[in-house]
Amino acid sequence: MRRTRLLTGALLGAATALLALAGPVAADDSDSDSGKAPTEAGTSFRTAAAMQQDQKATASASTGDYLYWSYPADAGQRPTVKASVDLSAAQARHGGQTWRIDVYDGLRRRQSCMYGMQARTVAAEAKSVELACTLRPVRAWSDAWANDPLPGTYYVRLTVTSLADADLGQPVSASVEARSKDIGSSAAVDGTLAAPLVPGTTASAEKAAPVDGWSSGWWTGRWVWTGAGAVLAALAGIGGYALTRGSGRPARMP
């Protein structure tokens, strides 16, 4: 019984220590706002207005314009981009409109949405349009032929793709925000990029980084669970030996 109590205490202690180590890996850095959100949008990839995640960027534009924003996304994150277009300032429209958002990675490859209303058609009397796109989890490394999301700058493009010609140029206002869910070690891979995929020089690369910086890439929750498995296997072996070895030589034996 004493051995059983000692073994149980050791198992509980090891499990508590490992869970404490795993806590910081899965922490949610939701308070990453830094500085002010942009109040205008760019008109191309090169002039995209830079924002941070959890910020709400706004812009006033004309129907038919291409609006661009950029934000950083790190490995282990699953970003969701939401856009809202206010059509109430426009005069009477001549027909329905179709609005769309597209998200591109640092190599300007268009990324597909796991789910969300990426494009929506609204009637002529509609006052607003709501769009959303949830990307696949960002991976720390990928094969050259794959189209997986990788750490770096992501571009959001918002535009109208279908409308009556008479409605071109009518005023609209738009807002965009990006939020990420930290999915932890489930998206971890064996490898990292040499550097995040960000545009421009070193100075602009530093400006494009998240508020808390880029992750190192080598530490993931997989290390914690691998260590936990090794410790539990060792304790199980010790416990099995203690339970099966018996009490030693019987007292009646010389």
Side-chain angles (χ1 to χ4, degrees):
M1 292 298 294
R2 183 172 179 273
R3 293 194 190 96
T4 303
R5 288 195 299 269
L6 290 175
L7 180 59
T8 303
L11 288 171
L12 291 175
T16 302
L18 290 169
L19 288 175
L21 288 174
V25 177
D28 183 14
D29 298 330
S30 58
D31 300 329
S32 60
D33 291 354
S34 177
K36 296 181 179 179
T39 56
E40 60 182 13
T43 56
S44 66
F45 288 105
R46 293 177 60 86
T47 60
M51 65 179 186
Q52 289 290 332
Q53 292 197 41
D54 301 327
Q55 286 185 335
K56 191 171 186 177
T58 58
S60 297
S62 299
T63 306
D65 290 344
Y66 284 85
L67 306 179
Y68 287 82
W69 294 269
S70 66
Y71 69 91
D74 209 347
Q77 295 181 340
R78 188 177 65 190
T80 296
V81 179
K82 295 183 178 180
S84 177
V85 184
D86 185 2
L87 305 173
S88 59
Q91 300 176 356
R93 296 188 295 275
H94 298 79
Q97 296 181 358
T98 301
W99 288 81
R100 179 183 178 91
I101 56 171
D102 292 292
V103 183
Y104 299 82
D105 66 6
L107 298 178
R108 301 183 185 180
R109 304 175 302 180
R110 191 177 71 83
Q111 294 295 318
S112 59
C113 301
M114 291 179 61
Y115 50 84
M117 188 64 72
Q118 186 178 7
R120 175 169 286 176
T121 301
V122 296
E125 62 274 9
K127 298 299 182 182
S128 63
V129 185
E130 303 290 337
L131 304 169
C133 174
T134 298
L135 301 178
R136 294 171 295 164
V138 179
R139 296 162 57 92
W141 178 86
S142 179
D143 291 307
W145 48 263
N147 194 38
D148 296 318
L150 296 171
T153 299
Y154 281 74
Y155 299 92
V156 182
R157 183 178 71 184
L158 172 65
T159 189
V160 61
T161 59
S162 176
L163 78 166
D165 292 342
D167 292 334
L168 283 170
Q170 290 192 355
V172 295
S173 58
S175 62
V176 170
E177 61 179 334
R179 296 181 180 273
S180 287
K181 179 179 180 180
D182 189 352
I183 60 174
S185 58
S186 61
V189 294
D190 296 328
T192 58
L193 296 179
L197 302 175
V198 295
T201 61
T202 303
S204 62
E206 294 176 355
K207 185 178 179 181
V211 174
D212 53 355
W214 299 105
S215 64
S216 61
W218 67 270
W219 172 261
T220 68
R222 295 172 65 181
W223 289 91
V224 176
W225 299 116
T226 300
V231 171
L232 292 176
L235 292 175
I238 295 172
Y241 172 75
L243 293 174
T244 59
R245 73 187 183 96
S247 57
R249 181 183 295 272
R252 64 179 181 271
M253 296 296 293

